[in-house]
Amino acid sequence: MYERRLSLNSSALLVAKGGSDVRVVFLGGLGEIGRNCACLEVEGRIIVIDVGLMFPEPDMPGVDLVLPDLTYLRENADRVDGIVLTHGHEDHIGGLSYLLRDRSAPIYGAALTVGLAANRVREAGLFNKAQFIEVADGERITIGPCDVEFIPVTHSVPSAFAIAFHTPQGVVLHSGDFKIDLAPVDGRRTDLARIGEIVQTEGIRLLLADSTNAEEAGFTPSETTVGETLRRVFLMHPEQRLIVACFASHLHRIQQIVDAAVLSGRRIATLGRSMKNNVELARRLGILTVPHGVLIDITEIDDVSDSELCILSTGSQGEPMAAMSLMASGQSKWIDLGPGDVVILSAHPIPGNEWSVGRVIDELHRRGAEVIHSAHEDVHVSGHARRGELSILLSVAKPDCFVPVHGEYRHLLHHAQLAESMGVAPSKIVLAEDGDIVNLNDAGIRKDGTVPAGYLYVDGAASDIDHGILRDRKVLASEGMVMVVASVDIHDREIAAGPVILTRGWVGSGDETLLSVEAAESVAIALKQALSDGTHDVEGLNRVARKALGRFVGTRMRQKPMIVPVIVSV
Ligand SMILES: [Zn+2]
Ligand SMILES: [Zn+2]
């Protein structure tokens, strides 16, 4: 369901201090990279800023993805007037389909952002529950009691926004993810002029800004520098088949790959579902320009010679089921990689993916392909502002108050220190984390309580894997399981059968049989003692068995496997 909003263009709402309190509730993204989600509360009404997901960390076995804890939004659903999306990355929109399962509100964003989000929501079968509203660059609309203004910023996906909320406590500016690219591929620069204009008319009361690269000195290079490198790499390999992988949402990168391919007389085929979908969507929206006849279907690549072919692939992050990993392991239905092929990984591994990306690069080398990645050519630049750009935003926005957002703790801390060095009063800088409520009123800014904001783990279709399950999985993965099975006759106070020891993934001293016999014996002694002491419930006997077996394995083997007692009464 799409709806086009007329621009209200209401004149600047000049509100002096003296208005009601404004709260920001952080549900994710402060203390980790990903699952960005915050609530802006004005006069008791809520605007949600992004609902992102996070990819699991290595210590989350079997977890597919991680969401913000949505309890607060569920409990306050009647107060939510809208959801605003800063841009179309998964860590900002990937949680929407989970939120929409049991509640709905209008979702505002740029045409591309809304298009990317709608694709995901449609896949989840929830498109009928979602109301998407497209907003244009610079558009200002009213959501609940708040005027909301969408300000263009450059980032590693087109059509990204910073969002200015005109509130009774002055303007709250959320930077979204941004960089200051002075030569962006589409010419759409971060609109510092508009931010300066707001400073002149209303001032910026509170700035919330992206901290991802707050530890990096200097300036992130322009995206167009990658285009130059790509063109050079293409020209250096005129005879070979070229396979380029990047994020499917990085349409500026894709545009530059397309341009390099066209320049060297190549046709382009996409590989991977999201690449195909996004290229289609972006062409339809006029964000991506591909000359007529250049795009061919993957089924047609055998009709094109190697020197005239460029494959645009997903899987730059080493995701096991993505096109690049399948090629690397020889399981691709379409591409049989070998000597003579050139693979360009036009991306940098996001934190946590380094190992999988390294393994894919290794396998590609093993197949004889030439691999070009960011370690030896500048085939990637970041989409996030480094310290130089963060300083520029701080100096243009001149915020009264500042809260660093989007980053691990050290990124937030460095950004807070930078703000202080740029002249923001220390008493007006709040270092908030997930779950913190920040209150802004005439007296200033301060933390004011917390809400639940733990990780919500998703495994397959189940979306509330609790910490106990994860703890069990970690124990099973690292120590295995030792199980004891016995049946007891509670009436006669004796063991009827067993105990028998069963193990999975557990390693003993080398003589597991002997060890099992000793372990069983120690459980038998404990059970007999408990029975003669008058323990006559199965639960109590299970506890006794667990303790005895745990003690035996712990003292004999110095191990802590999962202990599973199964004592039944006959
Ligand atoms: Zn982000
Ligand atoms: Zn982003």
Side-chain angles (χ1 to χ4, degrees), residues 55 88-91 156-158 244-255 257 271 274-275 278-279 312-319 344-351 353 357 379-381 383-384:
F55 296 102
H89 279 154
E90 288 291 293
D91 58 330
S156 42
V157 59
V244 193
C246 70
F247 272 112
S249 62
H250 202 332
L251 291 151
H252 289 149
R253 185 68 49 80
I254 292 168
Q255 180 71 68
I257 296 165
L271 197 50
S274 57
M275 189 63 81
N278 291 2
V279 163
L312 194 52
S313 170
T314 57
S316 62
Q317 295 299 307
E319 308 93 316
I344 303 170
L345 294 176
S346 187
H348 205 66
I350 53 175
N353 290 348
V357 173
V379 287
H380 178 68
V381 295
H384 297 273

Side-chain angles (χ1 to χ4, degrees), residues 460-479:
S463 65
D464 43 10
I465 315 295
D466 70 14
H467 289 260
I469 290 175
L470 214 58
R471 207 167 44 233
D472 284 355
R473 285 182 180 183
K474 282 189 221 175
V475 171
L476 286 168
S478 60
E479 304 270 351

Side-chain angles (χ1 to χ4, degrees), residues 2 18 43 78 113 121-122 126 135 150 169 179 186-187 189 220 230 255 276 358 363 372 463 465 486 524 558:
Y2 287 95
E43 290 168 16
D78 54 327
T113 308
V121 168
R122 196 177 287 115
L126 292 164
V135 293
F150 296 84
Q169 283 296 326
K179 65 192 274 189
D186 58 1
R189 295 192 191 90
T220 295
L230 286 170
Q255 180 71 68
K276 191 180 172 66
E363 286 180 336
I372 296 168
S463 65
I465 315 295
R558 303 199 181 288

Side-chain angles (χ1 to χ4, degrees), residues 1 20 26 81 111 127 153 160 207 243 270 381 391 438 498 511 520 558:
M1 288 183 287
S20 57
F26 296 105
D81 287 325
F127 192 63
V153 294
L207 173 65
I243 296 129
T270 61
V381 295
S391 302
V438 169
D511 193 347
R558 303 199 181 288

Side-chain angles (χ1 to χ4, degrees), residues 17 101 164 184 237 247 296 301 313 338 510:
K17 288 213 293 183
R101 279 182 186 178
H237 301 88
F247 272 112
I296 57 168
I301 60 171
S313 170

Side-chain angles (χ1 to χ4, degrees), residues 26 30 173-178 206-212 214 390 393-394 399 401-407 411-412 415-416:
F26 296 105
L30 281 72
L173 178 66
H174 192 299
S175 75
D177 284 358
F178 83 105
L206 169 62
L207 173 65
L208 311 164
D210 175 13
S211 311
T212 309
L390 297 175
L393 180 63
L394 281 159
C401 303
F402 179 69
V403 178
V405 297
H406 296 4
H411 305 132
L412 304 176
H415 203 181

